[in-house]
Each structure stands twice: as structure tokens, then as C-alpha cells.
Amino acid sequence: MNENVSSVYEAIADADGAAIALVRGARRVSWRELDERAGRLSAVFKAAGLEPGARIVIALYNSIEYVETLLAACKARMVPVNINYRASPRELRHYFERGAAAALVFHQSLGGTVAEAADALKPPRLLLGVGDRSGAPSPPGSADYEAEIRNNAPSPRIGRGGDDQLIMFTGGTTGLPKAVLWRHRDILALLSRN
């Protein structure tokens, strides 16, 4: 197996798809369902014109959608960019500009902050809002996460390598957050030691 996060979870989905992968409250998601939903979200990214290497900013609370977004980006050889959902509009702009981001997946309650910074996303621009019962208005030009997943068939699996990347931003305790780049092979090597 190559050293890619997506390849690892796809292998689990193929071997034991009915097993539970994620639990959030009363919701249970099997490995097969996780693989299918991540494949559909991957198709959403591609339909928006995003290509391998495109950076997908994830501004989500701890949720099943967070994992789906991370894996969908990896499936398409795009780069998930993990950020602090508590970011101010200034910090969000910083994430977009420093991370050269083209897409953002966010919880709806963060819509006001997103609306103030979304113009800093580089084209092609994609905003996906995950409903969270907050009643917050959607930023202009954003799409509904669940509707987009429902309306797209899963992308076919593609070849990937260990040099694919993931970006995390530091907390910014001494100034603005700094980007930390990880290769998939390094993440998997670290996990295999524990």
C-alpha cells in the first residue's frame, strides 16, 4: 500500500465496510459510508474546478463533516488546511492568503466571519456551509454541504503518493498563526510508531 492517508482508510472500508468508523451523539457512520460521502465531496471539489494541490481550508467544529472534508481533500490529492474555527476575520484572511486557499468548508454559525474574509480566497472559489441549527445567514455565494453531497456521485479512486500534503496552522500565540506542512508518509510513519 502506498503511504497516503486516503489509501489507508479506503483499505479499511474495503475490508470491513460495515464496521463503525465515526460516532457523534446518536449518529453512527460506517467505513463504507465515510468512503462514499468523502468520495461525493471529492466530486464537489472537482466540479468546482479545483485540481490536485488545491488547498481546502477546514473551519469546522469537531464533527463527522470535519473528517469527511479532510478525507475528501486527500482522496482528490488536494491539500486539507486545518485552522482554528475561533479565527477572527483578520486571521481567516491570513489563513486564506498564506495558505493560498481556493475553498473553505465551514460551520454555518461561522458565516459572519467567513463573509468578511471570503474575498481573499483565490479562484476558483468554493464556499461550503455545514448546517448547525445556528440560524446564521449564509455568506454570499456559498453552497449547502449536504445538498452538494447528495447531488454528486462519488469520484472514482485515483493513484496517490506519500508526498501529498496536509497543512496545519499553529495557534499564533506570538503573532499570526504559522503554516506547518506535513507529508502523508510522515504522518503515517509517526502513527505507526505509537
Side-chain angles (χ1 to χ4, degrees), residues 27-182:
R27 186 171 170 204
R28 306 284 187 267
V29 177
S30 71
W31 285 99
R32 186 176 300 113
E33 181 183 4
L34 177 61
D35 185 41
E36 180 191 354
R37 286 178 58 85
R40 288 175 180 272
L41 185 54
S42 174
V44 172
F45 295 153
K46 291 176 183 178
L50 302 174
E51 297 183 0
R55 294 179 175 181
I56 314 290
V57 174
I58 306 172
L60 295 170
Y61 306 118
N62 292 337
S63 62
I64 290 171
E65 293 82 7
Y66 176 92
V67 177
E68 291 171 347
T69 302
L70 176 84
L71 295 176
C74 293
K75 277 176 101 51
R77 300 197 71 202
M78 296 174 190
V79 181
V81 180
N82 181 59
I83 66 165
N84 185 341
Y85 57 78
R86 293 180 184 95
S88 68
R90 176 178 171 253
E91 290 169 322
L92 200 54
R93 291 184 75 80
H94 174 76
Y95 292 138
F96 295 163
E97 292 165 355
R98 300 292 294 175
L104 170 67
V105 181
F106 63 97
H107 268 108
Q108 200 66 41
S109 61
L110 305 173
T113 302
V114 168
E116 290 186 49
D119 64 313
L121 286 170
K122 70 178 203 162
R125 194 176 88 129
L126 175 66
L127 294 171
L128 285 179
V130 174
D132 59 11
R133 298 188 203 127
S134 67
S138 297
S142 63
D144 179 70
Y145 180 94
E146 285 300 325
E148 293 297 317
I149 285 180
R150 274 192 312 275
N151 294 331
N152 282 273
S155 289
R157 291 181 181 177
I158 60 173
R160 302 175 206 97
D163 288 330
D164 288 353
Q165 301 170 344
L166 175 126
I167 296 175
M168 294 190 284
F169 275 86
T170 64
T173 54
T174 59
L176 287 171
K178 312 292 186 287
V180 177
L181 181 78
W182 282 79

